[in-house]
Every structure is written in C-alpha cells, then in structure tokens.
Amino acid sequence: MPLSPRPAALLPLCLLCLQAALPPRRPRYAGILISDLQKAIENETGQRASRHRRSLPAYNYEVYHSLEEIEEWMYYLNKTHSDLVHMFSVGKSYEGRPLYVLKLGKRSRPYKKAVWIDCGIHAREWIGPAFCQWFVKEALQTYQTDPAMKKMLTQLYFYVMPVFNVDGYHYSWTNDRFWRKTRSKNSRFWCHGVDANRNWKVKWCDEGASLHPCDDTYCGPFPESEPEVKAVAHFLRKHRKQIKAYLSFHAYAQMLLYPYSYKYATIPNFSCVESAAYNAVNALQSAYGVRYRYGPASSTLYVSSGSSMDWAYKNGIPYAFAFELRDTGHFGFLLPETLIRPTCTETMLAVKNITFHLLKKCH
C-alpha cells in the first residue's frame, strides 16, 4: 500500500535541522536553496501517496520506490528473466530484513570476472537505489539490441545491490526523510544507527568519522559491527578474486571518487584508475552537459575513514569508485523525480565506460 505523508510535526522545520541533515563537511552554499523545506517534503510524500501502484510489468523507473516495492520488483525479475537474473541474499539486516542482490549476466561459462554495484548505503540518498534499478532495467532491455551491453553481460557478471541499508531506507520513508545511518540500537545511548560508510575495517574510526553514537558519521562500536556491512564484506572477501570493480552510488555532489578516502596518497595503479575516471566523466557529460569532478576522495571531497571504497581497494579489487550523483546542493537529497531519468541516463554512460576500461585490462 502507498504510504501516507508524514505528520508535519516530524518534519525538520528550522535552519539548524536542515544543516544537520546535510552530509558532513560538504561545501556551504550562500543564500536559500529550498525556500520552504517542509513544502518540498510534503510535495514529495504527497506524490507518493497519490500515485497509483502500477503492475510490475509496467514498473515505473522514473519515480522513487519504497523498499517493499523494490523487493517485489526483484522477485518479479528473478522469475521472468531467469536466463540473465539470479536473486539471492547475502544475509540479514539488524531488523531482520533480507539483504538482496541481483546477479546479472549470461551463464556462458563457469567463471567470469565480475563488477559489484551497491546503492543506498546512506538511507536518505534515494537517487542511488533509483539508479541501481535503472541499471538493471537497461541491462535487461538492451541486451539483445545493444552490442556493448551484450558484450558486458556475456563477458562479466554484475552483482547489483539496490538497497544496501534496508532498515535505514525503510525508516527514511516512514519516519525521517533525512535519516542517514543504519537502525541498530546502542546499549549506552538512546541514539540509533551507525554510518555504514564509516564501519569498514580500513583505518576504522580515524579522521572523518565520529566515536559518538548520536553523530551522523558514527563509526560504530567496532569494525563491521553492522550486520549489513559484515554480510557484504564477507561476500566480497569470498569473491575478491572474481570481482575486479567495486562501484558505490551516493548523493549528492556530482563527483566520481576513487581511493584513498582516509589519506592523501597516490594509489599504486593510479594511471589506470585516473584514466578510467577521466573517460567516465567525459562520457557522462556528453549526455546533458553536466560536469562531474573526479579524483581521490580525500582531496576531491573530504577525508573519511572506514569507507567501503577504500576497503574494497585494500582487499584486492583494483577498480574502486564512489559516485556522488546529482545535484550540487539546490535540491540535495530531495532530488525531484523529474531528474531521475537524466541522472540515470548520464550515469549509465559512465558505468559502461568504466566497464569497458576494465575489459581492456589496463595494468
């Protein structure tokens, strides 16, 4: 059933609330970006409440979907596209929800290299899960007509996790649109959740992460304390010889980032990764003229420790990227549904470009 709009009392009504909802250390913008924040959220929730739920064959990729809708969509694809799709779970969340992944690719031979794609590590960044769904749609719809897509799905497997932080994403739909973290409980504090992108075992809880459970960048009581992080890390470790690229989708800033996040240093395979990033942002810009900055996360965005991208790279995955999708702050986390199509269309060009760079075997 579609969800009703949140009660007005639960919405952030002041400037301090809006600032608290912003990601840490992002650039501050002069002037008023959203003149009426509450109205913007009410418009978004109102559209969802009034939207008639379409049948799965006519699934609308240009609107945001609840966790329940996304899971039903995954079940449907697993049933109707069994030649290219295999759905499985890597574990369960803190609140007991399954952590579903779609494995895309032609079963042409027993062993193939793979690309991991995850979206929604941070709950409020809804454009991430929207892109993961868009990627799957494009893969299935163009496999027979696009030689590039056919080559991708023939030579590689893609592991796509549409919603990493399932508990937090559900909570952002039902209680707090600006919720970022997981929903685990802390025994000493009333505050819930851990930043799932500060909880990985790579310079854990160093610069750019917080030890306080009430902070948005709380690193957790120990590395991989969150069952979501532990489950994905276990899967990636188990398949690290197969997985050659790790792509994680966030919002917002319009950036394509690569390691390191936790320090100012050059990665060993810098020339290959830098070349892939340069070509990817150029491909992305060719669609609508939207410019993305690219470079090491520490110097391009900010220093942060315990990130999934750094962990993937440190664990032997040579191409590790984090996308910060549209926009640069005007809409922020409330990116309108009208911008889903252009955002996903241009991002798709970048992902395909990175994939073909990977197939060229740059060393």
Side-chain angles (χ1 to χ4, degrees):
M1 293 289 292
L3 296 168
S4 58
R6 289 176 52 207
L10 294 177
L11 302 177
L13 297 174
C14 61
L15 180 59
L16 290 175
C17 298
L18 175 57
Q19 290 175 344
L22 293 175
R25 296 180 60 184
R26 289 191 187 271
R28 296 295 178 100
Y29 299 92
I32 297 173
L33 298 177
I34 302 175
S35 59
D36 191 331
L37 178 62
Q38 179 167 336
K39 186 175 181 181
I41 299 174
E42 286 174 347
N43 286 341
E44 189 179 56
T45 55
Q47 289 169 5
R48 294 201 306 271
S50 64
R51 190 177 80 227
H52 292 293
R53 190 172 186 171
R54 293 190 177 185
S55 62
L56 285 167
Y59 194 78
N60 188 352
Y61 293 89
E62 297 184 40
V63 299
Y64 296 118
H65 289 279
S66 68
L67 181 64
E68 293 77 10
E69 290 172 342
I70 294 171
E71 289 180 346
E72 286 186 21
W73 165 80
M74 294 173 79
Y75 276 113
Y76 177 78
L77 293 185
N78 187 59
K79 182 179 179 180
T80 57
H81 294 79
S82 57
D83 57 327
L84 291 173
V85 176
H86 171 60
M87 178 183 177
F88 63 97
S89 172
V90 295
K92 288 193 173 182
S93 70
Y94 179 84
E95 294 179 344
R97 294 182 174 89
L99 303 171
Y100 287 129
V101 176
L102 293 178
K103 181 182 181 182
L104 301 180
K106 195 71 178 173
R107 299 181 185 93
S108 51
R109 52 184 181 270
Y111 176 84
K112 292 199 298 183
K113 293 178 181 178
V115 174
W116 172 275
I117 297 174
D118 64 48
C119 300
I121 281 183
H122 293 142
R124 60 195 177 191
E125 299 167 8
W126 287 8
I127 189 61
F131 173 73
C132 265
Q133 294 169 81
W134 189 278
F135 177 86
V136 174
K137 168 190 78 78
E138 286 293 300
L140 298 179
Q141 290 182 357
T142 66
Y143 171 71
Q144 296 292 353
T145 57
D146 179 6
M149 185 61 72
K150 194 174 189 72
K151 184 176 181 180
M152 286 167 58
L153 295 182
T154 301
Q155 297 192 16
L156 297 165
Y157 282 124
F158 289 85
Y159 294 106
V160 183
M161 190 176 199
V163 186
F164 184 112
N165 178 8
V166 289
D167 296 345
Y169 185 73
H170 177 75
Y171 192 77
S172 75
W173 275 72
T174 57
N175 291 80
D176 182 353
R177 176 63 183 85
F178 291 109
W179 187 257
R180 169 183 169 96
K181 301 187 287 183
T182 62
R183 291 296 299 162
S184 55
K185 294 179 182 177
N186 188 288
S187 58
R188 294 178 53 216
F189 292 84
W190 286 104
C191 304
H192 285 72
V194 167
D195 185 339
N197 206 35
R198 301 291 187 277
N199 192 233
W200 299 73
K201 197 174 183 179
V202 53
K203 286 291 179 181
W204 174 78
C205 223
D206 208 319
E207 187 176 352
S210 172
L211 278 166
H212 198 290
C214 295
D215 288 345
D216 261 357
T217 57
Y218 175 46
C219 58
F222 54 87
E224 295 183 24
S225 64
E226 304 311 282
E228 300 87 350
V229 173
K230 185 175 182 179
V232 173
H234 175 74
F235 180 85
L236 293 175
R237 274 192 294 262
K238 186 178 177 181
H239 296 86
R240 61 182 160 193
K241 289 184 178 180
Q242 177 194 20
I243 297 173
K244 301 302 178 184
Y246 173 89
L247 308 179
S248 189
F249 291 85
H250 298 254
Y252 55 91
Q254 292 177 194
M255 295 178 180
L256 177 54
L257 308 171
Y258 52 80
Y260 296 104
S261 292
Y262 70 88
K263 64 179 179 179
Y264 298 105
T266 302
I267 54 177
N269 63 336
F270 170 80
S271 59
C272 285
V273 172
E274 170 83 359
S275 174
Y278 171 78
N279 291 329
V281 298
N282 282 341
L284 185 150
Q285 187 177 344
S286 71
Y288 301 99
V290 173
R291 294 188 176 186
Y292 271 48
R293 292 172 59 198
Y294 68 96
S298 55
S299 56
T300 309
L301 185 56
Y302 48 64
V303 173
S304 63
S305 56
S307 73
S308 64
M309 179 184 69
D310 280 352
W311 183 93
Y313 187 77
K314 283 282 192 178
N315 277 267
I317 299 176
Y319 288 90
F321 291 101
F323 281 80
E324 293 282 351
L325 301 179
R326 293 197 197 187
D327 58 6
T328 56
H330 182 80
F331 294 111
F333 303 121
L334 301 178
L335 194 72
E337 292 181 331
T338 53
L339 294 180
I340 292 176
R341 172 180 280 274
T343 302
C344 292
T345 298
E346 67 194 9
T347 307
M348 194 73 196
L349 295 176
V351 172
K352 289 173 79 171
N353 204 279
I354 290 172
T355 300
F356 276 96
H357 189 96
L358 169 67
L359 289 173
K360 289 176 183 175
K361 300 179 181 178
C362 178
H363 296 291

